[in-house]
Amino acid sequence: MDEQTVFLPRAEADRLLEALRGAGFGRILGPVAREGTLLFQPLRRWDDLPAGVRDVQQPGRYRLQEQDTPRCFAWANGPQALKPLTFRPREPIWRAQRSADGQLSFQSTQEDPEPTALIGLRACDLAALDLQERHFMHGRFPDPWFRRRREALFLVGMSCAHPAQTCFCASTGDGPAISRGHDLGMAELDEGYLLWAGTQTGKTLLERLDLDAATAAQRRAVEKETHQAAMGQRRTLPGRHLKQGLYERLQAGHWQDVGERCLSCGNCTAVCPTCFCHMEMDEPALGGDSSEHLRQWSSCFNAEHSFMGHFVVRSDTRLRYRQWLTHKLGSWHEQYGRSGCVGCGRCITWCPVGIDITAEAHALLKEAPDA
């Protein structure tokens, strides 16, 4: 926030949706309470948002509760971040067709994505998008499917004032205040919303709205709430650069302990906003005259993920969990200059047996290094 921050009264919040549509964003997505959680769904009006809803998150547990508040963003997150919108869970990459004379032709399946605005993204999710961009857009082999979808997005970030018990974004340096990665930043008070621009596109949109400047008291109220949200987080990682400590404990006994609890279900990698493992396959049509080459999400917890020719490198859950944790918190520093964890806590909440990445990291580093 700065002196250019403006105020949108709650009763006039639909003006933001109208301005987004007027700017060419035909599809507007926001958090909607559905199937017992919060999912990004199309918004027709501001009333579609989950007013008076609070999430209760604990290891292996997620519930929504009603509360007496006009706020629409008085919760931490749901299982869905930006990842499914830029890196599809399952998609065709190309199609092959065989003609009557036996000739093969190949056709790309790249689409022309519809300009889309997303409202209510948390700071941890914007940090996760930055990591996904480093992987898919700025490596040796940029991914055109990811790039086109990313470039079609307008991102409205929402500073978080209500972290869950499983959140630890303050520990990773990725929240709870919106500070980067957004086109438009927002913060919610009972009476309405503070808005500020993060890009030129966002600034142009704010000029369309023609709103009054936020008062100093309103800005102080938001700063106080986000500070309290950071101070209220009780989970932490033992540091932001754990590579050396983890690499020195590859034979630690705690790997066996967590391996006996882990189900290798892959829930943690599915809800993680930064995980990018995938597999590719061909699916022929029943008639034999065409096929699709598909990409779909995979997980380092799957046995086939480490299959090499005639054997599986990581044959048990202990080794798969070790691979996931040492990559996420260790070797990401070599690839992307930072940890792969943004502190959203989803892997803790959505683990069926409540395994806590922060507790496991602390337990591992308490053990003596390998001899």
Side-chain angles (χ1 to χ4, degrees):
M1 294 187 299
D2 54 30
E3 295 299 325
Q4 304 300 315
T5 300
V6 299
F7 178 71
L8 175 66
R10 185 173 297 279
E12 301 176 23
D14 277 322
R15 290 178 57 193
L16 176 58
L17 302 184
E18 294 166 4
L20 288 167
R21 294 187 184 103
F25 296 100
R27 185 171 70 147
I28 303 174
L29 304 180
V32 173
R34 179 169 295 181
E35 299 177 3
T37 186
L38 295 165
L39 301 173
F40 282 110
Q41 299 289 313
L43 297 180
R44 295 168 298 168
R45 56 186 183 275
W46 202 257
D47 286 345
D48 292 335
L49 293 167
V53 169
R54 181 78 167 96
D55 58 345
V56 178
Q57 299 191 47
Q58 298 170 354
R61 181 179 174 84
Y62 185 100
R63 295 290 185 274
L64 294 181
Q65 294 181 349
E66 294 185 1
Q67 60 179 8
D68 184 19
T69 177
R71 299 196 185 197
C72 300
F73 298 92
W75 41 268
N77 56 43
Q80 180 187 23
L82 269 165
K83 185 169 73 171
L85 301 173
T86 51
F87 172 35
R88 294 279 177 80
R90 179 179 169 90
E91 64 178 330
I93 301 299
W94 73 74
R95 294 187 177 92
Q97 183 75 37
R98 183 170 61 186
S99 64
D101 61 0
Q103 297 296 312
L104 286 176
S105 60
F106 297 87
Q107 180 182 10
S108 172
T109 59
Q110 279 195 53
E111 58 187 13
D112 188 14
E114 181 180 7
T116 299
L118 285 100
I119 295 176
L121 296 165
R122 299 306 192 187
C124 56
D125 293 338
L126 293 171
L129 176 63
D130 177 71
L131 280 164
Q132 291 259 304
E133 290 175 352
R134 297 187 204 188
H135 177 73
F136 285 106
M137 293 173 59
H138 305 309
R140 291 178 59 194
F141 305 102
D143 186 291
W145 289 265
F146 182 97
R147 178 181 292 277
R148 295 186 72 174
R149 291 182 188 130
R150 171 63 187 95
E151 291 176 347
L153 297 181
F154 181 93
L155 306 179
V156 182
M158 176 65 67
S159 285
C160 183
H162 301 82
Q165 290 185 27
T166 49
C167 291
F168 55 101
C169 64
S171 173
T172 65
D174 297 305
I178 296 293
S179 61
R180 63 186 189 276
H182 57 286
D183 293 295
L184 202 64
M186 293 186 71
E188 186 175 34
L189 296 173
D190 285 352
E191 62 268 26
Y193 302 91
L194 277 67
L195 290 84
W196 61 94
T199 63
Q200 182 58 48
T201 307
K203 183 177 180 181
T204 301
L205 189 88
L206 282 188
E207 291 171 352
R208 283 173 172 262
L209 287 169
D210 191 25
L211 295 168
D212 292 335
T215 66
Q218 288 171 332
R219 293 199 302 272
R220 286 195 300 269
V222 166
E223 291 168 357
K224 179 180 178 181
E225 288 193 1
T226 51
H227 176 73
Q228 290 174 338
M231 294 299 100
Q233 294 180 20
R234 293 293 175 260
R235 281 180 165 81
T236 64
L237 286 172
R240 295 187 185 178
H241 200 316
L242 305 179
K243 173 188 163 186
Q244 190 64 30
L246 292 173
Y247 280 14
E248 291 174 349
R249 292 163 175 82
L250 296 179
Q251 305 306 320
H254 191 71
W255 296 117
Q256 183 63 35
D257 175 76
V258 69
E260 291 174 355
R261 289 178 281 132
C262 177
L263 304 178
S264 275
C265 67
N267 266 22
C268 55
T269 58
V271 298
C272 177
T274 67
C275 280
F276 51 72
C277 287
H278 62 272
M279 61 188 300
E280 298 193 15
M281 68 200 74
D282 292 291
E283 283 192 356
L286 290 177
D289 58 353
S290 65
S291 68
E292 286 190 329
H293 186 82
L294 300 168
R295 174 172 69 182
Q296 72 177 33
W297 290 0
S298 186
S299 171
C300 52
F301 286 95
N302 296 343
E304 65 269 18
H305 186 270
S306 65
F307 180 73
M308 296 183 64
H310 301 287
F311 68 99
V312 175
V313 176
R314 293 182 285 277
S315 57
D316 59 59
T317 301
R318 173 183 63 91
L319 296 175
R320 294 170 198 164
Y321 191 89
R322 188 180 73 177
Q323 160 65 22
W324 177 70
L325 192 72
T326 55
H327 185 212
K328 183 70 63 180
L329 302 182
S331 54
W332 276 64
H333 287 277
E334 298 175 8
Q335 294 176 280
Y336 308 109
R338 59 153 293 171
S339 163
C341 180
V342 295
C344 69
R346 289 183 175 94
C347 62
I348 304 173
T349 297
W350 297 96
C351 173
V353 295
I355 293 174
D356 181 341
I357 185 175
T358 65
E360 307 310 331
H362 279 284
L364 285 160
L365 293 183
K366 285 180 181 178
E367 292 201 24
D370 299 340

